[in-house]
């Protein structure tokens, strides 16, 4: 039994500011001094197992000197999910933390990025862990200059770093929930091997020393939240 649903809507926003400012929790939106308009049409479809969405953001910024127009995408993804497992690919954002008023690692302050994500839509009931959920994602960030050391000394390269994360979440009761998260931007000093990726997310005791000269170039952030 497959039922098809479609969603179409348009969000319109207008702002005026005396200074350049970045809006909080608005997917990396930056306002220029003067008038700023945003048009966000959203088109989507869904069945029992498949969903797709595309939401371009059309920005029109007008200050005293010039008018600037650009288009970026807030959400562009394809999602397949069952009761037990889900996989999503495209451009989207995440919110990893204790609640809607705050998050430790991923928020919608940043612009959405291209990723592939594996997760369970409904919690698994596991002994001693309660209602267990997981989220795993992998993507790439924008291109940047990376400075690092290796056995030959100081080096520089230009690359789009890899970006990945793991979050585990357990609801032990209706009044107590615990979560553990880790995200990492990483790159290989030359090429990135499977052992490098393993070391990024499951580092050994020697990993910190090796990363200074020969291991993967890594910037990790981890958090634990209790609600």
């Amino acid at each position: 039994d497959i039922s098809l649903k479609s969603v179409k809507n348009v969000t319109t926003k207008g702002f005026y500011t005396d200074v350049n400012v970045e809006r909080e929790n608005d997917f990396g939106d930056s306002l220029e001094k003067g008038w700023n308009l945003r048009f966000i049409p959203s088109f989507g479809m869904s069945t029992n197992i498949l969903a797709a969405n595309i939401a371009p953001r059309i920005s029109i910024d007008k200050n005293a000197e010039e008018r600037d127009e650009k288009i970026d995408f807030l959400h562009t993804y394809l999602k397949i999910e069952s009761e037990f497992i889900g996989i999503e690919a495209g451009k989207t954002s995440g919110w990893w933390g204790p609640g809607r008023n705050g998050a430790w690692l991923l928020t919608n302050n940043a612009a959405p990025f291209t990723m592939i994500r594996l997760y369970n839509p409904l919690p698994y009931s596991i002994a001693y862990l309660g209602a267990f959920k997981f989220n795993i994602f992998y993507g790439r960030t924008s291109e940047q200059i990376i400075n690092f050391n290796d056995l030959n000394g100081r080096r520089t390269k230009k690359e789009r770093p890899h970006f990945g994360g793991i979050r585990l979440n357990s609801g032990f009761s209706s009044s107590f929930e615990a979560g553990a998260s880790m995200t990492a931007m990483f790159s290989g000093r030359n090429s990135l091997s499977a052992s490098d990726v393993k070391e990024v997310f499951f580092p050994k005791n020697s990993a910190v020393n090796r990363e200074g000269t020969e291991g993967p170039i890594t910037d990790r952030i981890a958090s634990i939240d209790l609600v």
Side-chain angles (χ1 to χ4, degrees):
D1 179 23
I2 298 177
S3 60
L4 178 64
K5 300 178 181 179
S6 62
V7 177
K8 298 179 181 179
N9 61 68
V10 179
T11 300
T12 304
K13 301 178 182 179
F15 311 93
Y16 179 83
T17 175
D18 293 330
V19 296
N20 294 348
V21 64
E22 290 191 5
R23 282 178 47 78
E24 184 178 358
N25 296 331
D26 204 5
F27 307 101
D29 193 12
S30 298
L31 304 181
E32 295 185 4
K33 180 180 179 180
W35 285 101
N36 299 262
L37 298 177
R38 301 291 183 266
F39 300 98
I40 308 171
S42 179
F43 309 93
M45 57 79 64
S46 65
T47 69
N48 292 348
I49 60 172
L50 177 68
N53 183 271
I54 180 169
R57 175 169 57 188
I58 304 167
S59 303
I60 302 175
D61 303 329
K62 188 179 186 309
N63 55 33
E65 289 78 27
E66 60 183 14
R67 171 173 159 169
D68 183 31
E69 300 176 1
K70 65 178 182 180
I71 299 177
D72 62 343
F73 288 87
L74 294 186
H75 303 289
T76 307
Y77 62 80
L78 179 67
K79 182 189 301 184
I80 301 174
E81 66 179 33
S82 69
E83 180 180 350
F84 304 102
I85 197 73
I87 185 168
E88 177 182 348
K91 189 175 184 181
T92 186
S93 59
W95 185 274
W96 284 11
R100 64 181 182 180
N101 295 320
W104 295 113
L105 298 185
L106 295 181
T107 74
N108 54 11
N109 276 312
F113 62 96
T114 303
M115 71 163 85
I116 183 168
R117 184 170 70 99
L118 185 69
Y119 61 99
N120 57 329
L122 298 176
Y124 302 149
S125 180
I126 299 178
Y128 305 109
L129 292 179
F132 178 78
K133 296 191 72 173
F134 71 87
N135 254 293
I136 302 171
F137 78 86
Y138 164 76
R140 303 292 290 269
T141 69
S142 58
E143 190 174 67
Q144 56 187 277
I145 296 175
I146 303 174
N147 298 306
F148 62 98
N149 295 323
D150 66 8
L151 298 177
N152 297 317
R154 188 71 170 170
R155 291 179 56 193
T156 298
K157 67 175 181 177
K158 194 172 185 179
E159 184 182 87
R160 294 178 60 201
H162 300 259
F163 186 37
I166 300 172
R167 176 167 173 81
L168 308 176
N169 195 87
S170 286
F172 294 96
S173 70
S174 59
S175 57
F176 178 61
E177 187 173 318
S181 310
M182 182 175 72
T183 60
M185 285 194 296
F186 56 99
S187 173
R189 280 172 165 74
N190 294 303
S191 59
L192 189 68
S193 67
S195 61
D196 287 336
V197 176
K198 180 181 178 181
E199 185 170 303
V200 167
F201 292 101
F202 305 99
K204 299 178 180 178
N205 293 334
S206 60
V208 174
N209 294 329
R210 290 186 65 249
E211 285 176 7
T213 55
E214 55 182 313
I217 309 164
T218 307
D219 182 12
R220 298 184 195 87
I221 303 177
S223 73
I224 296 175
D225 52 269
L226 304 173
V227 179

